[in-house]
Amino acid sequence: MSLTGIGPRLQERLDNIGIHKIQDLLFHLPYRYVDRTRLIPLGELKAGTDAYVQGEIELTQVRYGRRRSLLCRISDGTGAIILRFFYFSKSQQNNLKRGQYIRCYGKVRKGSSSLEIVHPEYRLVDLDNEIELEKQLTAVYPSTDGLQQPRIRKLMEQALDVLKNNKKNITELLPEEILSQENLPTLTDALEYVHRAPTTANIDSLIAENHPAQKRLIIEELLAHQLTLLKLREEIRKEESPIIRKSKDLIPKFLENLNFELTNAQKKACQTIFSDLNKNSAMLRLLQGDVGSGKTVIAALAALQTIENNYQVAIMVPTEILAEQHYKNFSNWFEYLNIDVVLLTGKLKKSSKDSALEKLKDKKSIVVVGTHALFQDNVIFSKLGLVIIDEQHRFGVHQRLALIEKGKMYDKYPHQLIMTATPIPRTLTMTAYADLDHSIIDELPPGRIPINTTSHSNKKREEIILSIKKRILNMECQAYWVCTLIDESESLQCETAIATAEQLKQKLDKINVGLIHGRMKPNEKEKIMRDFKEKEIDLLVATTVIEVGLDVPNASLMIIDNAERLGLSQLHQLRGRIGRGNEESHCMLIYQSPLNDLAKERVETMRVTNDGFLIAEKDLELRGPGEVLGTRQAGIPELRIANLKRDSYLLTKIQKIAIKLIKDEPEKVKLIIERWLGKKQEYSNV
Ligand code: ADP
Ligand code: MG
């Protein structure tokens, strides 16, 4: 990089955070600002804000409470505040003398008797020789080990000078009409503004990130991500896929034997899918529907259509239990149609695995149900026509692509159907799934009775257990008892489940208590699930492995232990295991009191609604986009300046701009993507 003062060590550190050239540096944006342009009178301080203040020390003393701390009270005539240090040295204590002036920066919080700042940054002040105020907001940058803020700021100053003196360095890529429509500054001005906010800057607006200069960059960043996904979609669509024609034999037979009518929403979704399959470019469709809306049967119909056209179908699911269940379902459904269904999971016996692999290689038109094991090198699909991914949010865009890449035969790509476990908020589908077409099942099968959800403090545990016993014995219903744990460690979760099952067995005589968890062998799990389905087990103690997809309609009671530890979508997904039969179902959320505010809101949301689309929006509101889709690789980009929650109102507009750019100015598309996603952008060569 042609800036002065960059040796190999510094360059290495810059490389680590993706800064290879001046443009990268300029697009390394502050993630917050520190305001040292003005001192705030102590009397005006508010809890929760960052404050730059100055005052005279009135009193310094060590307080011996639950935790020893050094307290220092300062005042400036308008008010007073306490500085609190939990770690302090003798000399520090001596320096903070009564009558000494001091300048501090830190977060104000409400203390026991007055406002205070804990461990402020501070400097002692000599009134004859005052510390000057900063001329502009101090930008704080994302950094890495050994790369200090002042260093980044110095480099940025240089880069900005280069930019100003030679404007050609950085090309304006946003269409003129957007800039004028939204009244946005040029790129050069915007960059200069966010890095080196002038004294006249509207500081509050910069800190709140709603200044036009920031909006200018936010729009371009969101556009870059949108373009990446749309390009990806375009690339895949350029490839040829097998044409899957209407089924004349299998589907009519299947429907005739099915013991229910498809809902209108299901029929509509099927029609769309069939028409996608009938094209020679790949279907890329996201099927959204609430828990229990009946997505599996749609997967089955798409599979039948594909099989009748002599192609293979792969169904990928996130857990072994779900794979086993789908395998069973599909085997039962397809048995009399003479369709071969095989299972492929990591824990399978070698002989079963080999036989499945053999069939796939042999161009047999079969349905294979599996977990991540479907990705492994030894899996060779000879004529994969359709990939179905169930409970999508566990798989990211990369895995999605890897699977179609794997299925590619000669020069053809398989079609792809992705089904979500629970609805995903619209904002997220527009960002994480912009490469897909969307269908929604907005109707539940008839006769469903809404689940009645109640919440209970853990202090009432004994009473709850008694009431469960009564309900199971009187109503002859079956129940799940779900154990959760703070950390996701599977083995700890299993231990809790084992202990809970023991405890419940002792307290619940006359009731058959079963146990299922992730560390059990496949055949053990299978036996437990079979016993539960056949009512040999009344109460099934489980870890959250049952979260996705399980279907036992007679289970109408669910207890979720430590419900406060789970996010909304996980709770909703779990609860969706009940309410599938003809009886009213009950879900009891047991929480460890006291609940914090967020947990309270989650529990309350669960209590008042069963609507997955509403719950999804609430989930986004409470947790933010990064968390909602579960894992980080789930396709939610790491953003520099945009914020999906705050800026979602821009997305519709941005999607339009993206489509237009791809059509009219394709040469700009690559430049925008490269600028914002740099080398991280490797979607196209997964
Ligand atoms: P999900 O969308 O959560 O995957 P499932 O496919 O597991 O839902 O379906 C939930 C239950 O509803 C299953 O027992 C399934 O057989 C049943 N079901 C699906 N469609 C219908 C329908 N149209 N009428 C009645 N029951 C249905
Ligand atoms: Mg399902």
Side-chain angles (χ1 to χ4, degrees):
M1 202 155 50
S2 55
L3 297 177
T4 56
I6 302 187
R9 288 239 333 251
L10 179 54
Q11 184 60 61
E12 196 184 312
R13 289 184 180 140
L14 291 171
D15 283 340
N16 281 341
I17 49 175
I19 300 176
H20 316 289
K21 41 185 193 192
I22 292 184
Q23 171 169 293
D24 298 334
L25 187 60
L26 288 168
F27 279 84
H28 191 68
L29 302 174
Y31 68 92
R32 69 188 183 96
Y33 294 95
V34 167
D35 184 0
R36 289 183 178 146
T37 63
R38 57 188 165 177
L39 287 168
I40 302 183
L42 293 174
E44 288 175 18
L45 290 182
K46 285 196 216 72
T49 56
D50 287 339
Y52 195 41
V53 296
Q54 180 167 314
E56 181 184 354
I57 298 180
E58 288 186 328
L59 180 76
T60 298
Q61 61 173 210
V62 177
R63 181 69 61 86
Y64 297 89
R66 231 161 30 121
R67 238 177 119 188
R68 199 174 72 120
S69 59
L70 179 70
L71 300 186
C72 175
R73 200 161 86 119
I74 64 170
S75 76
D76 67 351
T78 69
I81 186 169
I82 303 280
L83 312 177
R84 185 189 289 274
F85 302 86
F86 290 109
Y87 308 98
F88 55 93
S89 63
K90 195 79 197 153
S91 68
Q92 201 173 8
Q93 189 179 340
N94 291 337
N95 279 336
L96 298 174
K97 279 197 300 279
R98 190 190 151 106
Q100 167 71 52
Y101 278 79
I102 183 171
R103 186 174 290 187
C104 327
Y105 184 87
K107 192 170 224 56
V108 181
R109 67 166 205 186
K110 221 158 108 187
S112 51
S113 58
S114 71
L115 292 179
E116 59 182 41
I117 303 181
V118 177
H119 284 278
E121 270 177 54
Y122 73 88
R123 279 169 77 181
L124 300 178
V125 175
D126 174 1
L127 282 190
D128 299 329
N129 190 6
E130 275 235 47
I131 309 163
E132 275 187 48
L133 290 173
E134 300 276 343
K135 295 256 174 353
Q136 63 208 37
L137 286 184
T138 312
V140 183
Y141 292 96
S143 187
T144 174
D145 274 353
L147 185 57
Q148 310 296 340
Q149 292 294 328
R151 197 60 172 275
I152 304 181
R153 278 184 214 124
K154 268 213 190 95
L155 289 175
M156 202 63 81
E157 283 297 323
Q158 280 191 58
L160 286 169
D161 288 341
V162 172
L163 174 67
K164 285 200 80 176
N165 299 335
N166 171 12
K167 293 201 175 182
K168 282 203 193 89
N169 231 328
I170 204 127
T171 330
E172 181 68 64
L173 296 170
L174 278 190
E176 180 55 42
E177 69 187 87
I178 306 303
L179 295 177
S180 58
Q181 238 175 50
E182 301 281 326
N183 211 357
L184 299 173
T186 65
L187 180 56
T188 306
D189 289 347
L191 283 173
E192 162 129 37
Y193 203 97
V194 298
H195 288 299
R196 190 155 60 186
T199 37
T200 54
N202 180 343
I203 287 171
D204 295 331
S205 143
L206 260 182
I207 288 178
E209 296 195 326
N210 58 16
H211 190 276
Q214 289 160 312
K215 190 170 174 189
R216 161 73 182 72
L217 296 167
I218 288 168
I219 289 180
E220 194 174 311
E221 177 170 40
L222 291 175
L223 183 62
H225 284 281
Q226 195 68 216
L227 288 171
T228 313
L229 289 168
L230 292 180
K231 280 302 282 183
L232 186 67
R233 166 199 174 104
E234 194 188 69
E235 249 152 60
I236 294 177
R237 260 161 234 233
K238 268 199 293 223
E239 306 286 338
E240 214 177 313
S241 291
I243 296 182
I244 308 287
R245 291 177 212 287
K246 189 170 174 216
S247 154
K248 298 212 176 75
D249 176 33
L250 295 176
I251 288 185
K253 272 191 197 153
F254 175 79
L255 288 177
E256 206 173 295
N257 267 282
L258 196 64
N259 54 9
F260 52 77
E261 272 279 309
L262 295 184
T263 62
N264 283 331
Q266 283 171 320
K267 282 182 193 157
K268 212 172 107 200
C270 281
Q271 285 320 318
T272 322
I273 291 167
F274 292 160
S275 103
D276 285 351
L277 289 174
N278 205 357
K279 293 182 187 135
N280 67 351
S281 66
M283 165 171 79
L284 288 173
R285 184 165 292 277
L286 180 74
L287 179 62
Q288 292 210 57
D290 209 344
V291 213
S293 58
K295 295 179 291 276
T296 320
V297 70
I298 296 183
L301 290 164
L304 287 174
Q305 185 111 318
T306 309
I307 293 284
E308 188 163 322
N309 283 264
N310 284 317
Y311 286 100
Q312 298 168 334
V313 178
I315 302 175
M316 183 160 87
V317 299
T319 67
E320 302 246 340
I321 294 193
L322 191 54
E324 284 147 25
Q325 177 186 287
H326 272 4
Y327 165 67
K328 267 240 201 72
N329 263 345
F330 282 79
S331 304
N332 288 340
W333 273 341
F334 292 175
E335 195 182 3
Y336 70 98
L337 299 170
N338 274 327
I339 298 169
D340 205 353
V341 181
V342 298
L343 181 67
L344 194 57
T345 67
K347 292 184 187 157
L348 213 60
K349 279 201 303 268
K350 185 165 183 313
S351 56
S352 321
K353 221 183 261 176
D354 287 348
S355 122
L357 292 177
E358 209 45 50
K359 287 178 186 168
L360 283 172
K361 220 160 71 185
D362 251 12
K363 308 204 174 183
K364 295 250 162 52
S365 37
I366 59 172
V367 176
V368 57
V369 182
T371 54
H372 288 81
L374 291 174
F375 285 117
Q376 266 144 31
D377 286 343
N378 55 353
V379 184
I380 297 165
F381 296 98
S382 55
K383 41 187 305 200
L384 188 60
L386 171 65
V387 173
I388 299 173
I389 302 181
D390 194 12
E391 317 298 2
Q392 146 70 19
H393 67 288
R394 300 287 186 89
F395 298 111
V397 67
H398 295 277
Q399 288 168 311
R400 235 148 71 202
L401 288 172
L403 193 60
I404 35 179
E405 206 54 54
K406 251 192 114 43
K408 190 176 163 181
M409 33 179 172
Y410 312 115
D411 49 359
K412 290 207 177 104
Y413 275 88
H415 295 282
Q416 195 170 144
L417 176 64
I418 291 147
M419 309 196 293
T420 63
T422 54
I424 299 172
R426 212 177 90 83
T427 330
L428 293 192
T429 51
M430 283 183 76
T431 42
Y433 305 115
D435 56 327
L436 307 173
D437 290 319
H438 298 223
S439 292
I440 290 185
I441 309 182
D442 51 6
E443 180 185 8
L444 291 177
R448 291 282 165 83
I449 307 165
I451 300 167
N452 174 23
T453 302
T454 51
S455 61
H456 312 266
S457 159
N458 188 37
K459 292 180 189 140
K460 300 262 170 68
R461 206 177 178 84
E462 294 300 320
E463 286 155 75
I464 296 167
I465 293 176
L466 271 182
S467 79
I468 293 167
K469 181 172 174 181
K470 261 200 211 135
R471 187 179 285 276
I472 294 179
L473 292 177
N474 294 346
M475 320 265 302
E476 295 184 1
C477 71
Q478 290 174 280
Y480 294 101
W481 182 294
V482 186
C483 299
T484 59
L485 256 191
I486 289 179
D487 69 50
E488 293 275 293
S489 147
E490 201 183 318
S491 64
L492 272 176
Q493 229 184 49
C494 297
E495 271 162 39
T496 314
I498 294 168
T500 308
E502 270 317 307
Q503 194 193 37
L504 290 172
K505 262 181 209 160
Q506 278 171 16
K507 295 198 168 152
L508 299 170
D509 52 322
K510 295 199 209 112
I511 287 180
N512 290 328
V513 177
L515 169 68
I516 191 164
H517 59 71
R519 278 196 310 185
M520 288 161 78
K521 295 212 178 72
N523 53 355
E524 288 175 318
K525 279 188 279 190
E526 210 173 307
K527 176 168 184 327
I528 296 285
M529 281 318 295
R530 196 180 330 123
D531 288 352
F532 192 52
K533 277 199 168 157
E534 287 167 6
K535 305 188 189 171
E536 302 277 322
I537 292 173
D538 304 310
L539 176 68
L540 183 61
V541 177
T543 53
T544 44
V545 293
I546 64 153
E547 173 195 346
V548 278
L550 290 198
D551 187 34
V552 181
N554 192 52
S556 64
L557 173 62
M558 172 174 286
I559 300 95
I560 305 182
D561 211 355
N562 294 309
E564 78 279 2
R565 291 172 179 172
L566 298 181
L568 269 177
S569 76
Q570 218 181 351
L571 284 170
H572 180 59
Q573 182 58 225
L574 273 171
R575 182 173 62 178
R577 298 309 110 218
I578 56 173
R580 295 175 166 237
N582 307 321
E583 305 285 338
E584 187 187 24
S585 292
H586 292 266
C587 177
M588 305 171 87
L589 307 174
I590 304 184
Y591 59 83
Q592 206 79 42
S593 50
L595 279 179
N596 68 30
D597 289 350
L598 268 179
K600 216 178 263 169
E601 215 167 327
R602 288 200 297 266
V603 169
E604 192 52 21
T605 306
M606 289 299 290
R607 239 177 33 74
V608 300
T609 184
N610 277 300
D611 182 335
F613 287 89
L614 277 179
I615 291 175
E617 292 297 337
K618 190 75 192 174
D619 197 24
L620 179 63
E621 184 193 316
L622 294 181
R623 282 199 297 171
E627 308 268 312
V628 169
L629 292 184
T631 51
R632 210 167 286 144
Q633 97 275 19
I636 287 298
E638 261 179 58
L639 297 166
R640 299 176 187 209
I641 187 165
N643 170 327
L644 288 184
K645 204 157 118 187
R646 182 192 62 205
D647 305 323
S648 62
Y649 73 101
L650 291 167
L651 286 170
T652 314
K653 189 176 291 165
I654 285 168
Q655 202 164 49
K656 280 193 196 124
I657 306 175
I659 292 168
K660 199 154 178 284
L661 265 182
I662 289 181
K663 197 163 134 266
D664 300 343
E665 300 182 88
E667 69 289 347
K668 281 189 181 168
V669 170
K670 200 169 151 262
L671 294 174
I672 295 179
I673 292 177
E674 208 227 40
R675 176 183 282 175
W676 286 92
L677 289 112
K679 293 223 154 70
K680 269 195 306 187
Q681 201 267 321
E682 282 160 355
Y683 288 141
S684 42
N685 45 16
V686 167

